[in-house]
Amino acid sequence: MPDPFDSVLYRHIYCTLSSTADAQCEGVGLFGGGLLPGGFEWLAFVLTGVIIVAALINGILGAVLLMIWGERRLLGRLQGRTGPNRWGPFGLLTPIADAVKTMFKEDVVPTVSDRLVFTLAPILMLFPALLVYAVLPIGHGTWLADINVALLFIVAIGGANVLAIVAAAWGSGNRYAMFSAMRAVAMLISYEIPLVISLVGVIMLSGSLSLVAIVNAQTIPFFIIQPLGFFVFVVASMAELNRTPFDVAEAESEIVAGYMTDYSSMKFGLFFLAEFAATIATSGVITVLFLGGWHGFDPIPSQIWFIAKMVGVLALIVWVRASWPRLRIDQIMAFAWKALFELTLINLVVSGLLMLAWPSPSTTELWYMAGINWLVFIASIILFGKLLGPKHDPVSAGNVQRDVTLSDSDAPAIPSGGGG
Amino acid sequence: MGIVDVIFWLISAAAIGGALLVVTVRDVFRAALALAGSFLAVAGIFFLLQAEFVAVAQILVYVGAVSIVVAFAILLTRDISQGNRTQGSRVIVVGAAIMAVLFVVVVGVVAYDTDWSDRDSGLTNPDAIAALTGTYEAFERPSGEVVLVASTDPDAALPGVFVDSTGWLGGLIVRDYVLALQALGVLLLASIIGAIALVREQAPE
């Protein structure tokens, strides 16, 4: 089990509260320490955890509001619109107005629903998204838990939201929701495989599953040494997040809003919150694994570096959303199994051979590895583009209308971002 | 009773409560959710025992895969949401008796086989460590502290047995028992091919 006192934040708050002069509290803690009377160290232990978790969750809520604003503004820019700009400077207060509106809506529960499961599903959705932050290091000594299997933990917890989607679909008792759950399960399970295998290169280079150790190992950011792993991980993460090129689970032009169709008010709000919290967490994970985490140069604090890189990844994700239309489910599955899976296997073999050649690489050898990996990356992308390009794909060749059952005239425009 | 004990009892209550819900709740889907909750609580116990890898594997395999397969099977079962949820087995008493006997036997054997003397001190008996670890060797430092020494890298050894359970398990899987791992891979491949052969659409004749 990780020692909570490894965390600077934890040590400071605990030492401020606890009255015992532990060795860990030498010169740490505000007000000289000891706000609680003696004999209440256990309360300090618990309170510290509660304070940190409360601060973290509120921080995530704030970050989600900012992210919603930033995404809408950036989408507007990318699509030649203005985006929200009325309420507050640059429209900064718009998400707060949205949140208030969401909370005051009527909370509709369908009569055919399984009420307990229906209520539980949004909560189940939010909890894996929040748990990722427990192991995410956002700066020197700024993390909650440095467990030695943190990377596996993130992957395992990330897979749990499939259960929430299935629960939402079952609870709603609605056909569109069922379709959505089928699509979501098929897609998420398929993309989990390349997602995990693409990480093996990073694990081999750093020799650890601990995120802190992985950041410390990055004298050169790993996206330079592992371009193929980076590419596959980013694409597979976007699929896991259900974001736009991959959002077949809530495709509003086909199945209303998928598993969220029957949800309104704050239950819908929780889904929305979970989606954005997971997006921010994933960009944090990408930053930690491939962009060197909190590393940067000195006058700027490490936490600022981390957040700056994370915002960059978020901008990339929004850019992808603005640039590509939604793919069909068969295209998505074909892409996972015919392209991403093979690419990760190539990456795995090449990285393994390189690690055999240089078991503990020096900086120069790391650059050699990077050069070879980039050549492999470019060659395999070109190869797979040729193999799976439009000419060889019988499904997409001249068969665009296949899935469309309603013509444009008898389907009224359904507003996106629904929620009733 | 330390805070760890409180956490242990809470998690254990969750695990047993979830398991009880699985067999008592009438609605199959709720039972599946309770099953996932019970698995999660068991993962919590592994975390408490400092077996992080096993804990995460528990979440990955049981919560992330087995529960979803169960839930998906329920989704695909026709008419299950319209009543007909009761289990109408007449031999339920016989089944319960068999399961009770099996449960007692399994718990009894495990309790009898466990060396309870090491319960509080952690594993400090060098013989036990040597027996458990195979290629690793137990080594007693001048201070009396027992450490594990990998035969390849003595300096990397850390005090205590399960400090680096992930690396230790990894060594066991891909070095000591690699043949079993490969056999398992062949078995999995065979079952995947079998599944494809079963569900493949028949070509029109």
Side-chain angles (χ1 to χ4, degrees):
Chain A
M1 213 165 12
D3 187 357
F5 288 101
D6 286 348
S7 157
V8 177
L9 191 66
Y10 192 96
R11 211 162 59 214
H12 269 88
I13 299 177
Y14 178 83
C15 294
T16 306
L17 289 172
S18 169
S19 62
T20 317
D22 286 326
Q24 282 123 337
C25 287
E26 291 277 333
V28 184
L30 304 171
F31 317 121
L35 288 185
L36 290 167
F40 281 91
E41 283 75 30
W42 62 273
L43 188 61
F45 192 76
V46 174
L47 267 183
T48 311
V50 171
I51 289 172
I52 291 180
V53 170
L56 184 77
I57 289 179
N58 282 298
I60 294 168
L61 290 180
V64 166
L65 290 183
L66 270 179
M67 162 86 194
I68 293 173
W69 171 81
E71 171 155 15
R72 291 181 64 188
R73 290 288 290 191
L74 188 56
L75 269 181
R77 275 283 176 195
L78 290 166
Q79 296 170 344
R81 305 183 278 114
T82 318
N85 65 344
R86 293 304 168 105
W87 181 228
F90 308 106
L92 255 174
L93 296 178
T94 318
I96 295 174
D98 282 345
V100 171
K101 184 193 77 171
T102 309
M103 272 188 272
F104 281 107
K105 278 183 174 175
E106 186 189 354
D107 187 11
V108 183
V109 180
T111 46
V112 292
S113 69
D114 183 339
R115 214 186 167 92
L116 178 74
V117 178
F118 186 80
T119 314
L120 213 57
I123 303 166
L124 277 180
M125 190 81 179
L126 188 59
F127 121 99
L130 293 182
L131 269 181
V132 173
Y133 292 93
V135 294
L136 200 65
I138 60 167
H140 275 300
T142 320
W143 57 80
L144 294 188
D146 173 26
I147 61 177
N148 61 18
V149 287
L151 195 50
L152 265 182
F153 177 79
I154 286 175
V155 172
I157 282 296
N161 66 355
V162 186
L163 199 60
I165 293 179
V166 175
W170 175 268
S172 306
N174 168 328
R175 267 158 218 260
Y176 292 119
M178 288 290 182
F179 282 133
S180 156
M182 306 275 172
R183 290 175 172 197
V185 173
M187 186 177 87
L188 294 180
I189 289 180
S190 304
Y191 275 86
E192 201 130 294
I193 296 164
L195 183 86
V196 174
I197 304 179
S198 67
L199 292 175
V200 176
V202 169
I203 297 167
M204 282 197 282
L205 279 171
S206 61
S208 176
L209 290 170
S210 151
L211 293 184
V212 176
I214 287 174
V215 173
N216 282 330
Q218 294 184 59
T219 45
I220 305 168
F222 280 162
F223 83 97
I224 297 176
I225 312 176
Q226 286 275 321
L228 201 49
F230 178 60
F231 170 74
V232 174
F233 186 78
V234 170
V235 174
S237 302
M238 272 181 214
E240 292 279 310
L241 289 171
N242 270 328
R243 287 187 72 84
T244 279
F246 302 102
D247 67 343
V248 285
E250 52 196 83
E252 63 272 297
S253 56
E254 303 161 30
I255 49 174
V256 195
Y259 60 92
M260 296 194 278
T261 303
D262 277 325
Y263 283 91
S264 54
S265 186
M266 207 49 215
K267 291 200 186 91
F268 176 81
L270 280 183
F271 275 123
F272 210 71
L273 190 63
E275 194 179 312
F276 276 87
T279 308
I280 296 172
T282 302
S283 56
V285 172
I286 292 173
T287 307
V288 163
L289 295 180
F290 290 101
L291 303 182
W294 63 74
H295 286 319
F297 29 89
D298 229 350
I300 307 165
S302 56
Q303 289 87 351
I304 303 287
W305 273 109
F306 181 87
I307 291 169
K309 289 175 184 178
M310 208 168 83
V311 170
V313 177
L314 284 173
L316 177 80
I317 292 176
V318 175
W319 187 11
V320 169
R321 175 182 167 174
S323 306
W324 271 278
R326 178 182 308 127
L327 297 167
R328 280 199 322 263
I329 183 72
D330 59 312
Q331 292 170 329
I332 288 177
M333 299 300 281
F335 184 56
W337 289 105
K338 291 182 186 165
L340 284 188
F341 183 55
E342 278 76 5
L343 287 175
T344 51
L345 289 185
I346 291 172
N347 185 44
L348 179 64
V349 171
V350 172
S351 307
L353 289 177
L354 289 177
M355 288 307 288
L356 268 183
W358 296 297
S360 48
S362 65
T363 311
T364 340
E365 285 164 351
L366 280 178
W367 282 110
Y368 291 152
M369 276 191 185
I372 296 171
N373 272 328
W374 273 95
L375 288 180
V376 171
F377 173 57
I378 294 165
S380 47
I381 292 285
I382 291 173
L383 177 73
F384 275 81
K386 286 253 188 277
L387 281 179
L388 303 171
K391 262 181 271 173
H392 297 271
D393 187 358
V395 175
S396 62
N399 200 5
V400 191
Q401 286 285 315
R402 216 179 67 122
D403 270 3
V404 180
T405 51
L406 293 170
S407 71
D408 287 341
S409 53
D410 45 26
I414 296 157
S416 60
Chain B
M1 200 164 76
I3 196 149
V4 175
D5 292 294
V6 177
I7 297 171
F8 171 77
W9 288 112
L10 283 177
I11 296 176
S12 305
I16 296 173
L20 282 177
L21 275 181
V22 174
V23 290
T24 51
V25 165
R26 275 292 163 89
D27 187 314
V28 268
F29 195 84
R30 291 183 183 182
L33 282 185
L35 188 67
S38 185
F39 286 150
L40 206 59
V42 173
I45 290 182
F46 284 134
F47 264 120
L48 211 58
L49 292 171
Q50 309 191 11
E52 284 113 345
F53 181 79
V54 187
V56 172
Q58 167 89 11
I59 298 177
L60 194 64
V61 175
Y62 285 92
V63 182
V66 171
S67 304
I68 287 165
V69 170
V70 170
F72 212 55
I74 296 169
L75 276 192
L76 290 172
T77 311
R78 197 177 299 172
D79 291 340
I80 201 153
S81 54
Q82 284 104 41
N84 196 20
R85 288 175 192 162
T86 48
Q87 284 277 338
S89 177
R90 263 183 239 155
V91 287
I92 193 161
V93 180
V94 182
I98 293 174
M99 288 316 293
V101 170
L102 271 179
F103 178 75
V104 169
V105 167
V106 168
V107 171
V109 167
V110 171
Y112 183 76
D113 264 9
T114 307
D115 184 4
W116 293 100
S117 59
D118 287 330
R119 194 176 60 122
D120 292 325
S121 53
L123 268 180
T124 49
N125 178 358
D127 293 336
I129 298 172
L132 261 177
T133 53
T135 54
Y136 289 71
E137 287 166 16
F139 170 74
E140 195 166 358
R141 283 187 177 153
S143 60
E145 187 183 32
V146 178
V147 294
L148 268 184
V149 183
S151 40
T152 49
D153 189 9
D155 294 333
L158 292 162
V161 176
F162 295 120
V163 167
D164 184 20
S165 62
T166 314
W168 182 60
L169 279 171
L172 282 183
I173 291 173
V174 298
R175 197 168 50 209
D176 297 2
Y177 294 102
V178 69
L179 190 66
L181 182 75
Q182 297 288 337
L184 213 63
V186 173
L187 183 71
L188 267 177
L189 183 66
S191 55
I192 290 172
I193 293 172
I196 292 172
L198 278 176
V199 301
R200 193 176 51 167
E201 284 174 31
Q202 301 293 326
E205 310 209 356

